[in-house]
């Protein structure tokens, strides 16, 4: 049973435009969310996180939005750059029992120069 | 070391063979995780250590899978009598504390023929 879902397997965006990657979750106990970026033949690298006490967290070109009532989060990349082309995974956990992170299936982002 | 190190990078095993996968976490990281990532899927939790204690092994798919971290640093994931469905990338991750972001190694790609 997939508790974290990324329904878009792929996304293509023009360089300089906004990339929006979406993630939905089913477990209302989740209170800590992360985005990871993965290049081929490498492990996922941490990008940005958000706890459930916030609805937005920003780090440079990357912003994560959390809508708890909809059990939905999104990652915005502005402006998109060719180097952003990678697979993006969202992950969720319950903070105080955070020994298990649940990952989505990933969205492959291609930024077209 | 600077990052999480995993070896071997690739492993080809004949069905029925035992394999051992090694993970060297970031120095000082208390928590260590093993994940399995099948092709086209997100990482799926296998097991979790806090120091040398294995606190959660609920994700191990069968009793053929065994993990240890005897001195609280290096960890080994052992798979006995490998089967074709064990073919996947095995990712190790460590974190400074429970619930914080995970730092992943590049993974071991296991192919069982």
């Amino acid at each position: 049973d997939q508790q974290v879902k990324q329904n878009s397997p792929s996304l293509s965006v023009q360089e300089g435009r906004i990339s929006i990657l979406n993630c939905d979750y089913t477990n209302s106990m989740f209170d800590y969310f992360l985005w990871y970026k993965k290049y081929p033949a490498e492990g996922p690298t941490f990008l940005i996180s958000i706890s459930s006490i916030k609805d937005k967290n920003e780090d440079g070109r990357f912003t994560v939005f959390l809508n708890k009532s909809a059990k939905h989060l999104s990652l915005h990349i502005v402006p998109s750059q060719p180097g952003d082309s990678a697979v993006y995974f969202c992950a969720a956990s319950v903070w105080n029992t955070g020994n298990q992170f649940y990952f989505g299936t990933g969205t492959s982002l291609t930024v077209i120069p | 070391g600077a990052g999480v190190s995993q070896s071997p990078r690739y492993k080809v095993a004949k069905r029925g063979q035992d394999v051992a996968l090694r993970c060297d976490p970031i120095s000082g990281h208390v928590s260590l995780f093993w994940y399995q990532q099948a092709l086209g899927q997100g990482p799926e939790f296998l097991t979790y250590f806090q120091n040398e204690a294995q606190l959660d092994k609920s994700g191990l798919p069968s009793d053929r899978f065994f993990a240890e971290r005897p001195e609280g640093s290096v960890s080994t994931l052992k798979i006995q009598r490998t089967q074709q469905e064990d073919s996947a990338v095995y990712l190790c991750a460590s974190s400074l504390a429970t619930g914080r972001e995970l730092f992943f190694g590049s993974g071991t790609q296991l192919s069982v023929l």
Side-chain angles (χ1 to χ4, degrees):
Chain A
D1 183 28
Q2 196 77 18
Q3 298 192 54
V4 177
K5 300 178 183 178
Q6 293 175 258
N7 293 318
S8 296
S10 62
L11 175 68
S12 291
V13 171
Q14 285 292 133
E15 181 178 3
R17 305 293 291 269
I18 184 171
S19 294
I20 301 176
L21 296 95
N22 294 303
C23 179
D24 297 291
Y25 60 96
T26 57
N27 188 341
S28 58
M29 296 296 292
F30 288 148
D31 56 8
Y32 185 54
F33 305 89
L34 310 91
W35 283 94
Y36 280 84
K37 176 179 179 179
K38 185 181 183 304
Y39 292 117
E42 295 183 10
T45 55
F46 170 74
L47 197 55
I48 192 168
S49 65
I50 188 168
S51 78
S52 59
I53 62 173
K54 295 184 175 182
D55 54 18
K56 176 183 174 180
N57 189 26
E58 192 171 348
D59 183 2
R61 297 186 296 113
F62 302 92
T63 303
V64 55
F65 294 91
L66 176 62
N67 183 333
K68 290 186 289 293
S69 61
K71 295 192 183 69
H72 178 83
L73 65 154
S74 61
L75 175 68
H76 293 208
I77 307 173
V78 183
S80 302
Q81 299 174 355
D84 296 331
S85 297
V87 177
Y88 290 78
F89 292 97
C90 69
S93 74
V94 180
W95 174 264
N96 63 354
T97 62
N99 59 304
Q100 185 168 152
F101 289 80
Y102 294 86
F103 284 80
T105 53
T107 296
S108 178
L109 173 66
T110 301
V111 179
I112 304 164
Chain B
V4 178
S5 177
Q6 290 188 248
S7 61
R9 185 71 183 87
Y10 302 94
K11 177 68 180 176
V12 178
K14 292 183 180 178
R15 191 173 51 183
Q17 186 179 353
D18 296 350
V19 298
L21 313 179
R22 176 188 167 105
C23 173
D24 230 311
I26 294 172
S27 178
H29 278 198
V30 168
S31 301
L32 185 144
F33 302 76
W34 284 98
Y35 280 80
Q36 180 190 59
Q37 185 175 15
L39 193 63
Q41 300 297 313
E44 292 202 3
F45 172 81
L46 293 177
T47 187
Y48 158 69
F49 290 85
Q50 188 167 318
N51 296 307
E52 69 278 3
Q54 189 175 21
L55 298 186
D56 188 344
K57 54 182 181 179
S58 62
L60 295 176
S62 78
D63 58 7
R64 296 185 297 103
F65 286 71
F66 172 76
E68 58 182 7
R69 193 186 186 198
E71 296 177 0
S73 56
V74 171
S75 177
T76 304
L77 176 66
K78 298 179 180 177
I79 309 173
Q80 297 177 324
R81 305 181 303 282
T82 51
Q83 300 178 6
Q84 284 187 320
E85 61 261 32
D86 300 335
S87 297
V89 175
Y90 290 85
L91 293 164
C92 176
S94 67
S95 70
L96 195 55
T98 300
R100 301 303 300 272
E101 60 267 22
L102 306 179
F103 293 84
F104 283 88
S106 297
T108 293
Q109 184 167 335
L110 173 66
S111 299
V112 182
L113 306 178

